Amino acid sequence: MKDFQTLIWLDKCSRLFERFNIDYTALRCILQMKFTMDARRVPTVFHDHKPKEGNQFLKSLWMYALISLMLIPFIVIGDAYFYQMSFMFSVLMFVAMLTMISDFSTVLLDVRDKTMLNTKPVNNRTITAAKAIHVMIYMSFVVGTLTVIPLLVGLFHHGIIFFLLFLIEIIFVSFFILIFTALIYLFVLRFFDGEKLRDMINYMQILLSFSIFIGYQLVARSFQFMDFQFSYTFEWWQLLIPPMWYGALYEMVLHQQWDVSLFVLSLLGLIIPIIAFIIYLKCIPSFERNMEKLMAESKGQRSKGRIAAFLATIVSKNRTERAFYQFANRMMNSEREFKLKVYPSIGMTLVIPFLFFFNEFSGESTFDLANSMFYMSIYFTLLTVPVGVSMIRFSAKYEGGWIYRVAPIQQKRDIYTATLKAILIKLFVPIFLLESVIFVMIFSSRIIFSLIIIALTAPIIAVITYLMIHGRRLPFTESYQGQQQSAMLVFPAMLFLGVFAMFHIILTNLNYGEWIYLFVLLIGNVIVWRLAFLRV
Amino acid sequence: MLNGIYLDVHQGEIIGYIGPNGAGKSTTVKIMLGLIEDFKGEVEIFGQTVRTNDPSYKRRIGYVPENAEIYDNLTAAEYLAFVGSLYGMDESQIATKAQQLVELFDLEDVYHSRISSFSKGMRQKVLIIASLLHNPDLLFLDEPLAGLDANSVMIVKEVMAQLVEQGKTIFYSSHIMDVVEKISDRIVLIADGEIIADGSFEELQAQNEEGTLEEIFNQLTGFDQHEQIASSIVKAVQDGERQ
């Protein structure tokens, strides 16, 4: 194992650890092992699973530096410190918190530690210290890269006092996030089992990937609407919003407003992390006990799949196809990796159609959106299909795929059609329906006919993208390792969808154009679904 | 879960520790290793209580856990170096010893590969090496032969026999009765948290008038319905067919 720079720095404090009855040699050894493993773990912000050379963790820090650029506008836009800095801390805390939960859960919750470390001649204090230091080092790397540029910008723009306040508050904020994350785990583990927690972590990861994308879009646009010129007024609910605690200190010190409310807010920012820390210390023993739940098997409820079972009967009369439909459905439900790779993109397809006319909407107030052709942007929701299809070949438990070869399946095509139907119903239909309802409200019921046409292109796209991406290869039979990134496939798919959309737009301008197109699509569907996968 | 386990273990014995699933075998081992601190009663190892903040008694213990839990994104070399130094060995000593053992266990080709790419048997070999690296006096082995091929099984069994000759003590838990029967100097059978048999295989045989350890196990745990259950299973399988 290589020697890490961080450890060499830590060596300087070895005396201090020894004084607290911590076995520094063992501590160092554990940290070295943990760092080596971290370097090999691919963080969520990368969202890409190619095995790569080098320290994955250090590389991912660039991503955080990039994200930190998002914070700069809040700092430089004016001197309404309370609101600006509260916004800034909201973003900072949000990103740091999600990172902690999504990427560092493996550290806090590594169940192997108990059997691996506690059986060795190392005392508990050392193990606890090693974990705490590990998390703190990680945290300081992430928060450090997130704030180094904003700190410098603050220094040059607002001067040294601003810089010092910022520095102190960052330390408290990190502390707050750290303990708050740990308390969330404590809470979840107390009331739910390990599977629930893993699911929760999975959803946090999805949220992180999604919000990084959406964050850019919104922050960039929101400045047109935000007016930072208003001055500070106190409202009681501000006490409940942590970023505001940290914003208050700037207002107080830099504007020399020695207001009681500001003082209380600032004080909360210092006291709450300390109280949380005390609660946390008190809870550690129960945390350790509940950790056992992660190792234990979940009891598991019977799945409520009544709706799914009903849909299955509608989807197919063929028993094999029905079985594979339900199988694909359940796999998509339980496969965390699949969700992590697919759901963020699906979330984007929900937002992108609006981004299209967002600018028009805000620019000219006279613009007649309701009668425009902008509803065609709903074609972007069709991206759910290629995105879902692109990942369907992979599974974390791909070894289970032998079942396809062993089972006496008469027609292999049932497997493909069933899986595609599952993708359409699970991923495309809900998004499209939701979007359609909103669009009908914006554009009136005149677009319903067009929406039906758009919906009919989805099954055709499903079959074609499956054949293009996977050929004849079966779903859920290959490892995620070394596969293409889904985003790479989205761009060709967009082009492809663009062709469909162009056709549609041209035909709407002809008499009976849409009717002819509808007819063509219906026949197209029948042909594609009949002929595809026929000779497998 | 445990309920009156009184057990005196002497140096130089292989103790076969057996019992049905959920009888409390792993719990006993976990208590002795200090993984569970919340228990009533007294456990002493090497004449020292395990209820102490001083974990140095673990220096003389080797452990192979049951589920092959291992930090598998490390390479075998890194993992062994890590475990060795936790036991307080110095690096050059670990390196030479690990190298020798890895060659003897036929793992030298994958010594610098990540354990996550290993087969079940290869992982098991790494765990066995890790448990022996620091030359412990007491070994806790939980299904140590799982996943090993027949040749490796013979090697490990022989290693255990020779270690015991050297005065080491081995606490061996397993569900494979044939092996326990052959290698153990003494067999301890627990059920529902209690010891229900304790003695050499010959002694157990004399007490129970049964031929093999498997039969003794069935008799003592009060399980005599295997034929009935089996025929019900066969019946259920065939019923499905007739429809």
Side-chain angles (χ1 to χ4, degrees):
Chain A
M1 268 182 275
K2 89 178 229 270
D3 214 4
F4 292 87
Q5 191 62 44
T6 327
L7 287 174
I8 295 168
W9 288 330
L10 202 65
D11 285 341
K12 301 201 168 96
C13 313
S14 62
R15 282 271 179 83
L16 190 75
F17 290 112
E18 300 288 358
R19 190 163 299 168
F20 282 102
N21 193 18
I22 288 164
D23 179 356
Y24 184 73
T25 335
L27 179 95
R28 191 180 201 283
C29 192
I30 295 169
L31 286 175
Q32 192 180 20
M33 179 270 296
K34 291 283 182 188
F35 289 154
T36 310
M37 296 209 296
D38 284 344
R40 290 172 187 171
R41 207 161 35 86
V42 180
T44 313
V45 276
F46 269 3
H47 198 278
D48 173 2
H49 255 245
K50 274 182 205 160
K52 286 192 224 108
E53 289 304 304
N55 190 325
Q56 298 306 314
F57 172 62
L58 289 181
K59 280 185 185 170
S60 78
L61 289 178
W62 286 108
M63 197 68 195
Y64 291 105
L66 208 64
I67 293 170
S68 77
L69 298 180
M70 224 160 82
L71 303 174
I72 295 174
F74 294 117
I75 296 171
V76 298
I77 201 164
D79 62 353
Y81 294 115
F82 181 64
Y83 293 100
Q84 282 170 230
M85 292 312 277
S86 297
F87 267 112
M88 209 263 341
F89 276 112
S90 314
V91 179
L92 178 66
M93 287 169 95
F94 183 71
V95 174
M97 181 109 185
L98 283 179
T99 313
M100 282 302 289
I101 293 180
S102 60
D103 287 343
F104 230 54
S105 47
T106 41
V107 172
L108 279 166
L109 304 171
D110 197 335
V111 291
R112 294 170 300 186
D113 284 349
K114 190 129 184 135
T115 29
M116 296 299 347
L117 301 179
N118 291 48
T119 53
K120 308 292 178 292
V122 181
N123 63 19
N124 279 338
R125 197 186 270 257
T126 308
I127 296 171
T128 314
K131 270 194 180 182
I133 291 168
H134 184 199
V135 178
M136 278 194 250
I137 288 173
Y138 181 87
M139 185 79 189
S140 51
F141 269 117
V142 170
V143 174
T145 32
L146 266 175
T147 52
V148 64
I149 301 171
L151 265 171
L152 290 175
V153 170
L155 178 64
F156 289 117
H157 204 264
H158 294 295
I160 185 81
I161 299 173
F162 181 93
F163 175 80
L164 290 175
L165 285 179
F166 202 177
L167 202 61
I168 295 165
E169 297 224 311
I170 286 166
I171 293 167
F172 272 89
V173 165
S174 322
F175 207 49
F176 181 78
I177 293 166
L178 203 65
I179 292 162
F180 197 66
T181 315
L183 285 176
I184 288 180
Y185 285 142
L186 213 66
F187 179 79
V188 174
L189 274 178
R190 175 84 183 70
F191 295 103
F192 305 102
D193 60 4
E195 277 303 290
K196 261 279 169 349
L197 183 69
R198 288 194 199 102
D199 272 339
M200 194 195 84
I201 293 165
N202 186 225
Y203 286 121
M204 289 292 172
Q205 290 171 325
I206 292 165
L207 193 64
L208 177 63
S209 311
F210 176 62
S211 50
I212 284 172
F213 169 81
I214 292 299
Y216 284 121
Q217 297 293 326
L218 292 186
V219 169
R221 283 157 204 267
S222 62
F223 277 96
Q224 302 164 12
F225 306 102
M226 263 183 235
D227 177 15
F228 278 110
Q229 297 315 309
F230 43 77
S231 59
Y232 167 74
T233 40
F234 177 72
E235 307 279 350
W236 65 270
W237 50 261
Q238 289 168 350
L239 292 172
L240 303 177
I241 301 181
M244 296 208 149
W245 307 339
Y246 298 101
L249 191 64
Y250 294 90
E251 190 76 17
M252 190 164 72
V253 176
L254 292 175
H255 280 172
Q256 302 285 317
Q257 281 206 24
W258 305 102
D259 193 288
V260 181
S261 60
L262 283 173
F263 185 71
V264 171
L265 283 169
S266 308
L267 204 63
L268 279 177
L270 308 184
I271 287 177
I272 297 284
I274 296 170
I275 293 175
F277 184 62
I278 294 168
I279 296 174
Y280 177 66
L281 285 182
K282 290 245 186 292
C283 292
I284 284 179
S286 85
F287 191 41
E288 292 282 315
R289 244 177 291 130
N290 288 321
M291 279 276 282
E292 302 261 312
K293 282 189 181 176
L294 280 177
M295 281 188 271
E297 284 154 35
S298 297
K299 278 190 212 103
Q301 301 140 323
R302 262 164 166 255
S303 52
K304 292 164 286 185
R306 231 176 281 157
I307 301 169
F310 171 71
L311 280 174
T313 54
I314 295 181
V315 158
S316 178
K317 291 198 167 53
N318 169 336
R319 196 192 288 191
T320 322
E321 197 180 6
R322 218 185 299 157
F324 276 110
Y325 169 78
Q326 288 200 313
F327 171 70
N329 212 5
R330 283 178 188 146
M331 288 297 278
M332 284 192 279
N333 267 335
S334 58
E335 184 95 20
R336 297 203 174 90
E337 195 89 351
F338 179 83
K339 287 197 255 184
L340 179 57
K341 284 175 191 294
V342 169
Y343 283 17
S345 318
I346 299 241
M348 289 177 209
T349 62
L350 196 61
V351 181
I352 293 173
F354 295 105
L355 293 178
F356 258 78
F357 49 83
F358 199 75
N359 281 342
E360 307 294 332
F361 208 41
S362 56
E364 316 159 46
S365 53
T366 50
F367 181 70
D368 189 5
L369 184 67
N371 287 319
S372 69
M373 285 285 279
F374 272 105
Y375 65 87
M376 285 292 179
S377 67
I378 203 173
Y379 261 99
F380 276 96
T381 57
L382 286 174
L383 275 177
T384 48
V385 177
V387 166
V389 166
S390 69
M391 284 295 132
I392 207 75
R393 191 169 91 224
F394 308 103
S395 167
K397 303 282 172 215
Y398 66 98
E399 297 98 332
W402 56 266
I403 194 82
Y404 292 114
R405 318 231 173 265
V406 174
I409 299 162
Q410 295 290 333
Q411 281 183 305
K412 281 256 161 66
R413 70 183 291 264
D414 289 341
I415 303 174
Y416 301 103
T417 52
T419 308
L420 290 178
K421 283 176 185 175
I423 293 173
L424 286 169
I425 290 172
K426 184 163 179 59
L427 303 178
F428 169 69
V429 171
I431 297 281
F432 188 75
L433 278 181
L434 179 68
E435 204 88 347
S436 295
V437 170
I438 302 171
F439 268 50
V440 168
M441 287 194 297
I442 298 176
F443 295 96
S444 87
S445 57
R446 75 185 165 95
I447 66 166
I448 290 177
F449 189 68
S450 303
L451 292 178
I452 293 171
I453 287 177
I454 296 167
L456 279 173
T457 45
I460 297 181
I461 288 168
V463 173
I464 295 174
T465 45
Y466 194 99
L467 287 172
M468 274 177 10
I469 298 169
H470 308 308
R472 293 286 150 80
R473 282 178 286 188
L474 290 161
F476 307 113
T477 50
E478 279 172 52
S479 153
Y480 283 105
Q481 290 286 320
Q483 118 279 337
Q484 275 271 320
Q485 205 182 334
S486 66
M488 300 305 285
L489 295 161
V490 169
F491 293 108
M494 255 181 193
L495 229 63
F496 190 53
L497 285 173
V499 175
F500 275 89
M502 282 305 286
F503 247 118
H504 190 176
I505 291 169
I506 292 165
L507 286 169
T508 44
N509 294 324
L510 301 176
N511 284 338
Y512 303 109
E514 282 197 298
W515 281 100
I516 296 167
Y517 191 45
L518 176 75
F519 187 67
V520 171
L521 280 177
L522 281 173
I523 293 181
N525 262 305
V526 174
I527 293 175
V528 166
W529 281 74
R530 280 275 159 83
L531 293 186
F533 309 116
L534 205 53
R535 281 174 298 151
V536 242
Chain B
M1 205 158 78
L2 296 178
N3 185 11
I5 301 259
Y6 298 98
L7 202 57
D8 249 329
V9 176
H10 310 285
Q11 197 191 344
E13 280 184 331
I14 297 189
I15 293 114
Y17 197 53
I18 57 175
N21 292 326
K25 294 190 300 295
S26 318
T27 313
T28 324
V29 173
K30 280 181 184 167
I31 287 175
M32 290 192 280
L33 283 163
L35 295 181
I36 298 175
E37 284 153 14
D38 189 20
F39 65 95
K40 291 200 185 79
E42 207 39 70
V43 178
E44 285 186 9
I45 292 181
F46 311 123
Q48 185 196 0
T49 172
V50 299
R51 268 186 215 281
T52 146
N53 279 326
D54 177 18
S56 55
Y57 76 93
K58 293 177 189 171
R59 210 172 277 263
R60 293 167 64 193
I61 296 178
Y63 176 49
V64 174
E66 57 175 331
N67 297 327
E69 279 164 344
I70 195 165
Y71 293 121
D72 58 8
N73 25 7
L74 298 178
T75 67
E78 289 167 342
Y79 180 73
L80 293 174
F82 168 62
V83 173
S85 38
L86 283 185
Y87 280 112
M89 299 169 69
D90 70 62
E91 278 169 37
S92 60
Q93 192 192 1
I94 300 170
T96 40
K97 218 167 175 179
Q99 186 67 43
Q100 282 173 348
L101 288 170
V102 158
E103 276 168 28
L104 288 166
F105 273 101
D106 201 20
L107 286 178
E108 68 267 42
D109 295 340
V110 292
Y111 189 39
H112 293 287
S113 318
R114 292 191 198 174
I115 299 170
S116 52
S117 66
F118 284 18
S119 71
K120 179 107 188 2
M122 285 150 77
R123 272 166 184 258
Q124 198 66 24
K125 285 179 182 175
V126 175
L127 283 166
I128 291 171
I129 296 173
S131 75
L132 294 172
L133 205 56
H134 57 296
N135 190 21
D137 296 321
L138 172 59
L139 276 163
F140 290 102
L141 308 178
D142 203 338
E143 266 337 328
L145 304 179
L148 295 182
D149 64 42
N151 297 337
S152 312
V153 165
M154 282 175 73
I155 294 172
V156 175
K157 282 203 264 187
E158 186 57 28
V159 168
M160 289 193 285
Q162 293 192 16
L163 284 174
V164 168
E165 262 171 47
Q166 307 278 320
K168 313 278 188 200
T169 310
I170 297 177
F171 214 83
Y172 184 97
S173 36
S174 171
H175 290 294
I176 302 160
M177 295 298 124
D178 306 359
V179 179
V180 177
E181 178 184 321
K182 292 210 180 75
I183 64 164
S184 308
D185 300 310
R186 175 179 167 196
I187 293 167
V188 177
L189 171 56
I190 68 165
D192 298 323
E194 283 179 69
I195 296 180
I196 57 173
D198 182 359
S200 69
F201 178 58
E202 289 74 22
E203 285 166 359
L204 296 191
Q205 254 180 333
Q207 285 163 17
N208 295 287
E209 298 152 9
E210 293 279 357
T212 66
L213 185 58
E214 193 172 41
E215 286 162 345
I216 296 172
F217 184 93
N218 290 347
Q219 192 200 342
L220 287 176
T221 52
F223 184 74
D224 52 6
Q225 302 148 324
H226 66 279
E227 279 180 21
Q228 287 168 21
I229 293 178
S231 50
S232 307
I233 291 171
V234 172
K235 193 161 168 291
V237 170
Q238 286 172 339
D239 277 352
E241 203 67 7
R242 254 174 248 139
Q243 278 177 354

